Amino acid sequence: MICLLAAAAATLGSRWWLLALVAQQRLGAAAAWLVIAGTAVLAASLSAWFGFTIAQQFRGPGMLLLLGLALVFAAASMAWPVRPLSAKLRESMAGPGAAAILLGAAMLSDSAPFIILAATAWTGEAVLAGAGGATGLIAAAVFAGPIFASSDSLPTWWQPLRWAIAALLLVIAAVTSLAALGVL
């Protein structure tokens, strides 16, 4: 559940999320959702696998502190203003192959895979964290499709919503970090 909610919240407005919107607009529905789901599942699976590898080597409160750090990075990325995608990048989303490459590359710099990795390292539950993370990523893309499909720009209320999510992630990160340090 941690990965589902955190991945969905941290993905809203990210580069992957914006590219997923473009894929929904430029590709057919079946091709777009195949590429979106494929990159989400691949990123969540790899993150969960790496997190499980870390969990096999390290245990203890340090892994909970790693989760707190991942949430801080997610909050920082949510506080950063969203830049619209360039016309050149939109045009390069010509087919499913190009869309898969662009979405996969965007996922490398997203904070959701780091959250999935950290949650897996803390819990040791790779399947649950990976499935929850992939579901959260796909849910964020599903949520965005109908709302933003008619416009090339994000509405004015979008950045304040991201700031509110960033503040919530910071509070959760603080509580998580303090619990890892034994203060709570």
Side-chain angles (χ1 to χ4, degrees):
M1 189 57 96
I2 294 169
C3 288
L4 188 144
L5 295 174
T11 300
L12 295 175
S14 70
R15 183 69 62 195
W16 179 86
W17 185 82
L18 291 171
L19 287 169
L21 288 177
V22 173
Q24 292 176 46
Q25 294 169 354
R26 296 198 42 115
L27 304 175
W33 284 109
L34 183 65
V35 170
I36 291 167
T39 57
V41 168
L42 181 64
S45 300
L46 287 174
S47 297
W49 180 70
F50 284 126
F52 184 73
T53 303
I54 292 170
Q56 297 304 309
Q57 298 172 7
F58 304 102
R59 297 304 289 169
M63 296 300 100
L64 187 57
L65 195 58
L66 179 66
L67 180 59
L69 181 67
L71 292 172
V72 167
F73 285 147
S77 71
M78 293 297 284
W80 200 263
V82 176
R83 285 188 347 209
L85 297 174
S86 67
K88 186 176 181 178
L89 189 58
R90 288 176 174 276
E91 293 298 321
S92 63
M93 188 82 72
I101 290 169
L102 289 172
L103 285 167
M107 187 57 74
L108 291 175
S109 64
D110 199 15
S111 57
F114 187 34
I115 293 172
I116 297 167
L117 180 141
T120 305
W122 174 48
T123 63
E125 296 290 335
V127 174
L128 291 176
T135 304
L137 291 169
I138 294 169
V142 168
F143 164 75
I147 294 176
F148 301 109
S150 62
S151 175
D152 282 342
S153 64
L154 296 173
T156 56
W157 55 266
W158 188 248
Q159 190 59 48
L161 174 66
R162 285 176 48 91
W163 289 332
I165 293 171
L168 179 65
L169 287 173
L170 275 178
V171 168
I172 295 170
V175 170
T176 302
S177 299
L178 290 174
L181 296 172
V183 175
L184 291 179

